[in-house]
Amino acid sequence: MRRGRIGARTKLLIWLIMPSLILEAAVIWLAQSNTTSFLRQTQNSALDGMVVQSVRMMESQMNDLVLNVLGIEKEIVYGGTKPEDWIRTMETAVMTRPELVRGIVYLGNDGLVAGYPEYFWDSFADKEIGIIRKQTKDPNNGVVWSEPFSSTMGATGLNSLVSIVTKQVADDDGRSMGVLAFVTDVTNIVQRGAAFAGNYDTRTLLYDRNDRLIYSITIVARNSYETLEYAERNTETLEAAKSYFDRSGQYYVISDMKQAPYWKAVVVGDVKTLQNKYRPIVRFAILILVLGSAGLIVLYFAVSWWFTKPIVSLTRGIRHIARGHLNHQFEVARPDEFGEMAREFNRMMRTIQDLIETLKKTEEQKRQADLQSLLSQINPHFLYNTLNTIDIMVDFKGKDDIHRMMAVLIRLLKYGLDRTSVLRSLGDEMTYVKDYLTILSARYDNRFSFEVENAPPELASARILKLILQPIVENAVFHGLHSLTGRPGRLSVKAVRSGSDLIIAVADNGVGMTKRRIGELLRLRPSSRREGSEAGQERSGGFRIGLRNVHERIQLYYGAGYGLSVHSEPDVGTTVTVRLRIIETEDGYDGSSLQAASGR
């Protein structure tokens, strides 16, 4: 690679640095996730503290009520005042906490009834009177809270939950003087405690000492005074509520009151709302993750494309070359190792092309030499046989027959010695065969008849290799008809078209041959090109020069799919079929547009 240019390895290192940036983003996302988890835990801790404060708020309000009860008791026992003074003290207590204390009444054992407001004790029904008597039956009970119940004495009417707080009033000697009863609005106590939820959506549930649901309220953060009261079957008992919250994945905290009335407060936090506050952090982390993943994918494809593109290009080029396109050249557009490999490959292909061209020229020269060698073997053999026939005619025939035979010989020699082209028209070749059979018929004293059909007009101008039929008819006469006895010999030659091929059939009714001899007939042997005499031909069964030479010539020129095929039956006859390829043009068959196609 040339100096001053960035190599493939350096580029790879540059690309591999980029994933570290993505990994850093992933680390940031993990940090954000851990931060969110920490904030959520902190928030849960805050919710725990809020529950404790809410319960403490309820306990504080209840303690204030107890202090009021004890203060009024002291006024009754030690004040030395009249009931009117007690009522003013009761009024002060009620007016100080009107939302919590709905009314106060003193029921003396002597039948005295004093309270505030004055109509309040008239609202007591048998239910309320029964609760008071039950709670004050034992003078040692002290301050007793009743279980909350619905009453019209609450701040919200029929749906109000109230609790009656009672205290047995006794003198210094322990003798009972009467009962002091406070009516407390439990709904308001719970609402005030639930208000500590602040910015969270929470649900506060209050359970009595027997774990039964007293009251349930939901605080909506956007307006702390907007409440939704409800009671569900799943929260009727504390155990059922805990099971329900665990199944639904809600976060809850339970806090017990350490003093009377020993209720339990359960605050359920809206975790989904809490999580919504951290969604921007989560979205930011997800965004980093998505971008990081997309970046890694893009990076992978970029690196993969950068590396595999030249390799794929080389692979496609090699396949293109394998299909025979040896002139294919790879595009060289890169200054790195891949570009250098492409340039060396192009140089190698140019060298291979030069070698192939040289080899083609050598093979062409060799093929032409082989054709000329085969022709040189046929022509002397043909001339020898023909002169031998004329020599015989001088002794037995008249002058006219000899002149006619000499004219035929002149035509044959002129046709055979014409070296201007190895291709002649089918019509000329059929005429040459007819003249040649005329000479052979005279040589064998007309012991056989022959018929050479004129080439069809559409095939007469088709150009084929010359002198390919003469050895075939010669072998048919010499090996098939010469030894025939008992019937007159016949020989026929005709040409037909079969698709894009030209078929020439030479048939005789001679002695025929066996399948074994047919198998040996066209088997190529190196010695077939070294023997040219008729004697040698006879010693090898007549196939050293004749049919084998023709078969070799056809395959050299047209290819392996063409040549001679032989069908023969003993005492029936032999048919030699010549298959050549022709080319058809839109102009039909003529000397310039149609020829037997070479395999080149």
Side-chain angles (χ1 to χ4, degrees):
M1 189 181 67
R2 299 178 182 178
R3 294 182 179 179
R5 295 183 179 179
I6 300 176
R9 182 175 300 177
T10 304
K11 293 179 181 178
L12 176 61
L13 293 176
I14 294 174
W15 276 104
L16 291 180
I17 291 174
M18 298 181 65
S20 62
L21 301 177
I22 306 300
L23 292 177
E24 288 183 12
V27 171
I28 293 175
W29 179 83
L30 291 175
Q32 293 290 344
S33 178
N34 292 333
T35 302
T36 302
S37 177
F38 172 76
L39 292 176
R40 186 178 292 111
Q41 293 176 2
T42 303
Q43 187 170 252
N44 293 340
S45 299
L47 186 62
D48 294 345
M50 180 195 70
V51 173
V52 174
Q53 292 298 325
S54 178
V55 172
R56 296 296 175 265
M57 177 65 179
M58 295 181 190
E59 290 179 337
S60 176
Q61 296 179 78
M62 293 177 179
N63 289 335
D64 290 343
L65 290 176
V66 172
L67 291 176
N68 288 330
V69 170
L70 296 177
I72 295 174
E73 178 189 22
K74 184 178 180 180
E75 181 75 20
I76 294 173
V77 176
Y78 303 107
T81 56
K82 298 179 180 181
E84 291 80 5
D85 298 327
W86 305 344
I87 292 174
R88 282 194 295 271
T89 303
M90 294 178 184
E91 180 182 5
T92 301
V94 172
M95 297 303 295
T96 302
R97 294 289 183 87
E99 72 281 358
L100 299 179
V101 181
R102 301 301 300 163
I104 305 173
V105 64
Y106 171 72
L107 303 175
N109 292 338
D110 56 1
L112 175 64
V113 177
Y116 182 85
E118 295 181 1
Y119 61 85
F120 185 69
W121 53 85
D122 294 333
S123 302
F124 281 15
D126 293 339
K127 179 179 180 180
E128 286 80 4
I129 297 298
I131 292 174
I132 293 174
R133 289 176 178 175
K134 180 180 179 181
Q135 293 182 175
T136 57
K137 183 180 297 184
D138 186 356
N140 298 320
N141 283 341
V143 179
V144 180
W145 290 71
S146 71
E147 299 297 342
F149 60 93
S150 298
S151 174
T152 58
M153 293 183 292
T156 57
L158 292 176
N159 294 325
S160 296
L161 281 178
V162 297
S163 176
I164 298 178
V165 182
T166 60
K167 175 68 171 69
Q168 185 77 255
V169 180
D171 57 16
D172 291 338
D173 296 330
R175 293 188 298 270
S176 175
M177 298 174 58
V179 177
L180 187 62
F182 277 56
V183 177
T184 304
D185 194 332
V186 177
T187 302
N188 209 297
I189 293 176
V190 177
Q191 289 179 354
R192 282 177 170 268
F196 271 91
N199 294 326
Y200 305 122
D201 291 349
T202 59
R203 177 183 175 189
T204 302
L205 301 97
L206 189 64
Y207 290 87
D208 61 18
R209 68 188 69 188
N210 296 318
D211 293 341
R212 292 191 300 268
L213 180 65
I214 298 174
Y215 186 70
S216 175
I217 183 173
T218 297
I219 300 296
V220 182
R222 61 179 178 270
N223 184 357
S224 297
Y225 297 100
E226 180 183 348
T227 62
L228 177 63
E229 303 174 17
Y230 58 90
E232 295 182 359
R233 182 180 305 173
N234 293 325
T235 58
E236 289 180 353
T237 64
L238 182 58
E239 289 300 322
K242 290 193 294 184
S243 177
Y244 170 70
F245 296 147
D246 290 336
R247 289 196 311 270
S248 59
Q250 300 184 52
Y251 183 80
Y252 64 94
V253 180
I254 302 175
S255 182
D256 299 336
M257 294 183 181
K258 305 302 181 183
Q259 58 190 21
Y262 304 106
W263 295 340
K264 300 179 182 67
V266 179
V267 177
V268 183
D270 189 352
V271 179
K272 293 182 179 179
T273 302
L274 300 180
Q275 291 177 346
N276 289 338
K277 296 182 179 181
Y278 301 110
R279 281 186 178 178
I281 299 177
V282 176
R283 283 196 295 266
F284 178 73
I286 293 175
L287 178 62
I288 293 179
L289 179 62
V290 171
L291 293 178
S293 300
L296 286 176
I297 293 174
V298 172
L299 178 63
Y300 168 76
F301 278 105
V303 174
S304 176
W305 174 83
W306 190 85
F307 269 99
T308 59
K309 182 181 178 181
I311 298 175
V312 171
S313 178
L314 287 174
T315 303
R316 290 176 179 172
I318 292 172
R319 290 176 181 172
H320 195 62
I321 293 171
R323 289 193 290 267
H325 304 280
L326 300 180
N327 59 344
H328 178 77
Q329 293 287 304
F330 296 100
E331 296 183 2
V332 181
R334 300 177 61 154
D336 52 20
E337 288 85 351
F338 290 116
E340 185 175 353
M341 181 170 61
R343 285 191 294 272
E344 292 299 325
F345 204 95
N346 289 339
R347 187 180 297 111
M348 180 184 68
M349 289 307 304
R350 286 193 294 269
T351 302
I352 292 175
Q353 281 184 280
D354 293 341
L355 292 175
I356 290 175
E357 290 298 325
T358 302
L359 183 61
K360 282 183 178 180
K361 292 179 181 179
T362 303
E363 287 295 325
E364 179 65 19
Q365 293 173 357
K366 181 177 179 297
R367 195 163 66 92
Q368 292 295 335
D370 288 341
L371 285 174
Q372 295 300 328
S373 175
L374 290 172
L375 286 175
S376 65
Q377 293 180 29
I378 292 174
N379 290 334
H381 175 63
F382 159 73
L383 182 59
Y384 171 79
N385 288 335
T386 303
L387 292 176
N388 186 46
T389 300
I390 295 175
D391 180 61
I392 295 174
M393 291 181 65
V394 170
D395 296 331
F396 298 100
K397 299 293 182 180
K399 184 183 296 186
D400 293 338
D401 293 333
I402 294 174
H403 282 298
R404 186 169 57 256
M405 187 62 63
M406 290 298 295
V408 172
L409 177 60
I410 291 172
R411 288 200 303 271
L412 292 178
L413 290 176
K414 182 179 179 181
Y415 183 85
L417 296 176
D418 184 6
R419 300 299 180 90
T420 58
S421 175
V422 296
L423 298 177
R424 298 299 292 267
S425 68
L426 176 62
D428 292 343
E429 186 71 8
M430 298 293 276
T431 301
Y432 175 83
V433 170
K434 187 182 296 184
D435 289 341
Y436 185 76
L437 287 175
T438 299
I439 293 177
L440 288 183
S441 178
R443 177 184 176 186
Y444 290 105
D445 198 19
N446 297 321
R447 284 187 295 173
F448 68 91
S449 61
F450 64 89
E451 179 184 5
V452 179
E453 296 183 2
N454 293 327
E458 67 274 11
L459 294 175
S461 59
R463 300 182 66 79
I464 64 173
L465 287 173
K466 73 175 186 178
L467 297 179
I468 59 173
L469 297 180
Q470 176 261 328
I472 298 175
V473 297
E474 180 182 6
N475 277 281
V477 172
F478 187 81
H479 297 286
L481 301 178
H482 179 67
S483 303
L484 182 64
T485 58
R487 64 177 184 274
R490 295 191 305 275
L491 188 147
S492 64
V493 181
K494 63 178 180 179
V496 295
R497 179 181 179 179
S498 176
S500 60
D501 294 340
L502 175 64
I503 305 298
I504 304 174
V506 179
D508 67 75
N509 66 339
V511 297
M513 64 186 79
T514 63
K515 292 183 178 180
R516 179 179 178 182
R517 192 174 183 190
I518 293 175
E520 297 175 351
L521 182 62
L522 301 179
R523 187 179 301 161
L524 301 181
R525 298 178 184 176
S527 61
S528 65
R529 298 184 182 181
R530 293 195 298 266
E531 297 184 26
S533 65
E534 186 174 0
Q537 183 183 15
E538 291 175 353
R539 287 194 304 270
S540 62
F543 306 131
R544 294 289 186 183
I545 296 178
L547 298 183
R548 287 179 183 168
N549 279 346
V550 173
H551 189 63
E552 287 181 2
R553 286 182 62 200
I554 293 174
Q555 289 199 332
L556 279 173
Y557 197 84
Y558 294 101
Y562 297 90
L564 305 183
S565 61
V566 180
H567 175 74
S568 181
E569 294 183 17
D571 298 327
V572 175
T574 301
T575 300
V576 178
T577 303
V578 183
R579 178 178 291 273
L580 309 174
R581 186 170 67 240
I582 59 177
I583 297 177
E584 182 178 2
T585 64
E586 295 181 357
D587 298 334
Y589 297 94
D590 55 39
S592 60
S593 62
L594 176 67
Q595 67 178 15
S598 72
R600 291 174 292 179

